[in-house]
Amino acid sequence: MSDRITKVIVLGGGSAGFMAALALKTRLPHLDVTVIRSRDIGIIGVGEGSTPTLTSFLHGYLRVGLRRFIEVAQPTWKLGLKFLWGPRPHFWYPFGPGLDTKLRNLPRAVGFFCRDDVEDATPLSAMMARDKVFPRAQGGGPEMHPAVAYHFENEKFVRFLEGAAGALGVRLVDDTVLDTVRGGEGVAGLRLASGAVESADLYVDCSGFASVLLGGAMGEPFVDFGASLFCDRAVVGGWDRGPGEPIKPYTTCETMDSGWCWQIEHERRVNRGYVYASAFAADDEAERQFRAANPRVGPTRVVRFKSGRYRNRWVGNVVAVGNASGFVEPLEATALGVIAAQSEALADTLWGSDRRPTPTQRRLVNDAHARHWDAIRGFIATHYRFNTRLDTPFWRHCRAETDLAGATPVVGYFRENGPDNFWEPGLIDPFDEFKFRGYATLLVGQSVPYGNPYDPPPAERSAWEALRRSNAAAASRAMTVEESLAVLRSPTWKWTS
Ligand SMILES: Cc1cc2nc3c(=O)[nH]c(=O)nc-3n(C[C@H](O)[C@H](O)[C@H](O)COP(=O)(O)OP(=O)(O)OC[C@H]3O[C@@H](n4cnc5c(N)ncnc54)[C@H](O)[C@@H]3O)c2cc1C
């Protein structure tokens, strides 16, 4: 792009639109940023679990204060996931250290000691097992730590982002784009339902699955991940939390006949969603299975999606963020973290080029986009390929047909060498957010066999048992979500941000 960018239009006011607008205004306060969003179309309303990437984006990059965020977005905290998946009764996927961790008094990574039992293998999995979220600090309050993510209702999160964007001077237009005016480097203007035409130097497409500008006006091809990921719909519902129903500090992922079911924890609501493959269960059959497993679910709705990404996300003067750029089904809740990374990359590129992005920068933005989504594809495919919990047509198909794509080398390495992270630099792409840690935790959790199982001598076994007892004891002293929220709301709590 030859001229300096002075005006940006962000099309879409969901989480992607406001996160992108906030990143731009934080990095380039004098940039003219307008968000156009359609109240008639609305937002997708799912996107309720996150990863620590979002936490550091919000409170690090955007410098969002915790107090206001907790008041408006009303999050609860998430330390990882509980999988009802594979042959064990369950296993934990913590955001902190995983099953590739090496400790001073054990000669091998902890995953080698988990053949029979994975309980209390890491500090955060011991906390999750006891519904605990933060260690108790000396003053009695929660000791916050960075390995934490959030659960929040999508509407409340977007309301928070909208307020923060307004405070930074983002202009908001409530209107619907009916058509694009083509010209120059791609898009020359947006024709709105009100009759107005809005134009800018750069258009950030955050229009969700519609991908109005990137996939629509620019005709960028879509790279389909259908050979690896077979689910394409979710039936979503929930219930009001009952008295004594604990707020769990993790997302639960439960194997179902034709997919899996999430459970996400809000303070007053429990949110459930059954992600399924329409080739194996029609909508009414999925609804029946969902209700049979969750009798307290109220009204439901079906959300359709397709896993894949656009070949490039920056084409001409259009750059996409969020679902408009790509999406991989919601296992591991990666999308908000991708939106954070994409928003940062865009804002940093404009800042670093003094608002004249160069061809090499744009090529690297596209390269990062492809590698990030492709890494997520491989990791999520690994969940499906090895889940032996149910013997239904869907799961038989997954075990036989799932294409591991980019995950093939790391899974092959694990099958020969187990959860030893020595060769991580040669195996894991820097854009793979799961790292070897994620693979080790997932594959040991699913009891996937490997070539050199370790039989620890008695002294190591007792060191391992002592370690698990110490994780359990520390977790028992920690605080629940309810206790932590009560302290933060008490008049004596001193906010630092
Ligand atoms: C079943 C399911 C579960 C998911 N769960 C998670 C999860 O737990 N965690 C996670 O991180 N992600 C999850 N996601 C992904 C989630 O959708 C994204 O994280 C994110 O919330 C969506 O953001 P978005 O802004 O890209 O899209 P949207 O919320 O759809 O926003 C699109 C915006 O564009 C506007 N728009 C569209 N067309 C026009 C037009 N013509 N004119 C004007 N405005 C227009 C809309 O009005 C809206 O404001 C899930 C997705 C699915 C399908």
Side-chain angles (χ1 to χ4, degrees):
M1 302 178 70
S2 44
D3 293 327
R4 190 164 277 137
I5 291 167
T6 57
K7 182 173 179 193
V8 173
I9 288 180
V10 176
L11 172 57
S15 14
F18 285 119
M19 283 166 67
L22 278 163
L24 289 169
K25 282 301 264 188
T26 300
R27 208 70 168 104
L28 300 134
H30 300 297
L31 190 67
D32 181 344
V33 178
T34 297
V35 169
I36 302 177
R37 58 108 192 258
S38 166
R39 285 207 180 271
D40 296 338
I41 295 171
I43 59 173
I44 190 165
V46 279
E48 312 207 331
S50 72
T51 58
T53 312
L54 180 77
T55 315
S56 51
F57 173 76
L58 288 174
H59 307 303
Y61 195 85
L62 296 184
R63 300 189 293 273
V64 158
L66 258 186
R67 179 183 198 159
R68 179 111 187 103
F69 179 67
I70 287 177
E71 272 171 16
V72 180
Q74 298 173 18
T76 67
W77 298 280
K78 166 182 173 187
L79 299 182
L81 301 95
K82 178 181 187 176
F83 279 100
L84 308 177
W85 206 274
R88 302 180 196 265
H90 63 255
F91 67 90
W92 302 97
Y93 183 94
F95 289 141
L99 297 185
D100 66 332
T101 305
K102 288 181 176 147
L103 300 169
R104 243 181 312 141
N105 53 348
L106 294 177
R108 302 274 194 124
V110 298
F112 284 100
F113 295 80
C114 292
R115 199 166 42 190
D116 302 325
D117 193 352
V118 280
E119 285 304 291
D120 300 332
T122 70
L124 291 192
S125 51
M127 300 255 273
M128 289 190 275
R130 288 162 185 78
D131 290 340
K132 301 294 180 72
V133 65
F134 295 121
R136 207 175 290 272
Q138 278 203 334
E143 194 178 297
M144 307 277 194
H145 54 77
V148 76
Y150 293 119
H151 286 142
F152 37 58
E153 290 170 67
N154 188 242
E155 285 79 3
K156 287 181 181 156
F157 180 53
V158 172
R159 196 177 312 145
F160 168 79
L161 295 172
E162 181 180 337
L168 285 191
V170 172
R171 182 175 152 244
L172 184 58
V173 174
D174 280 318
D175 213 329
T176 301
V177 172
L178 297 182
D179 195 11
T180 50
V181 185
R182 298 298 309 273
E185 294 189 77
V187 172
L190 304 179
R191 257 191 270 277
L192 307 182
S194 60
V197 175
E198 289 272 353
S199 49
D201 308 311
L202 181 72
Y203 297 83
V204 184
D205 188 353
C206 299
S207 61
F209 290 140
S211 196
V212 171
L213 305 180
L214 182 70
M218 305 303 285
E220 185 63 8
F222 188 76
V223 180
D224 197 320
F225 291 170
S228 300
L229 301 166
F230 308 123
C231 290
D232 56 358
R233 289 187 197 175
V235 52
V236 183
W239 60 84
D240 290 337
R241 184 178 297 286
E245 205 174 347
I247 305 175
K248 296 168 182 161
Y250 53 84
T251 300
T252 308
C253 304
E254 178 181 4
T255 306
M256 299 278 284
D257 282 357
S258 298
W260 64 280
C261 197
W262 76 68
Q263 177 162 324
I264 284 178
E265 310 280 333
H266 306 304
E267 193 176 356
R268 298 200 170 73
R269 288 278 298 166
V270 175
N271 175 272
R272 281 290 238 170
Y274 177 14
V275 177
Y276 58 98
S278 59
F280 290 84
D283 290 351
D284 53 353
E285 173 57 15
E287 168 99 17
R288 195 194 59 70
Q289 292 172 15
F290 184 50
R291 287 193 180 278
N294 302 283
R296 292 170 66 193
V297 156
T300 58
R301 69 189 171 111
V302 171
V303 183
R304 294 171 180 228
F305 60 84
K306 189 153 89 173
S307 287
R309 62 166 170 87
Y310 286 92
R311 184 181 57 187
N312 293 301
R313 79 173 176 108
W314 196 332
V315 181
N317 62 352
V318 169
V319 55
V321 174
N323 290 350
S325 77
F327 175 68
V328 165
E329 71 125 273
L331 194 56
E332 299 282 352
T334 48
L336 288 164
V338 173
I339 294 170
Q342 292 180 331
S343 301
E344 273 191 48
L346 174 61
D348 286 350
T349 301
L350 292 200
W351 183 83
S353 62
D354 197 15
R355 291 176 285 127
R356 267 201 186 115
T358 61
T360 47
Q361 286 177 322
R362 287 192 286 162
R363 202 178 64 237
L364 287 166
V365 166
N366 285 330
D367 185 51
H369 153 77
R371 287 162 65 182
H372 197 169
W373 279 125
D374 293 354
I376 294 172
R377 167 192 185 162
F379 188 63
I380 302 301
T382 306
H383 294 63
Y384 282 97
R385 173 74 170 265
F386 295 106
N387 185 3
T388 53
R389 198 176 191 91
L390 290 181
D391 196 28
T392 60
F394 171 77
W395 285 105
R396 283 198 291 276
H397 182 77
C398 290
R399 290 192 288 270
E401 302 296 336
T402 299
D403 174 6
L404 290 177
T408 305
V410 61
V411 171
Y413 169 88
F414 176 91
R415 300 297 301 260
E416 289 184 357
N417 305 286
D420 180 347
N421 61 13
F422 184 72
W423 286 105
E424 169 148 15
L427 288 168
I428 300 291
D429 189 294
F431 290 101
D432 186 335
E433 60 188 88
F434 305 103
K435 311 294 175 204
F436 187 77
R437 171 173 56 90
Y439 280 93
T441 305
L442 177 70
L443 293 166
V444 171
Q446 294 189 91
S447 298
V448 175
Y450 48 88
N452 62 341
Y454 184 57
D455 196 12
E460 284 175 24
R461 267 186 211 280
S462 44
W464 169 240
E465 290 309 326
L467 182 104
R468 298 202 313 156
R469 281 197 301 277
S470 139
N471 285 341
S476 301
R477 292 190 296 271
M479 299 178 72
T480 63
V481 174
E482 291 86 339
E483 288 168 339
S484 304
L485 283 172
V487 171
L488 298 195
R489 285 173 185 152
S490 73
T492 53
W493 176 253
K494 300 248 177 318
W495 290 97
T496 52
S497 70

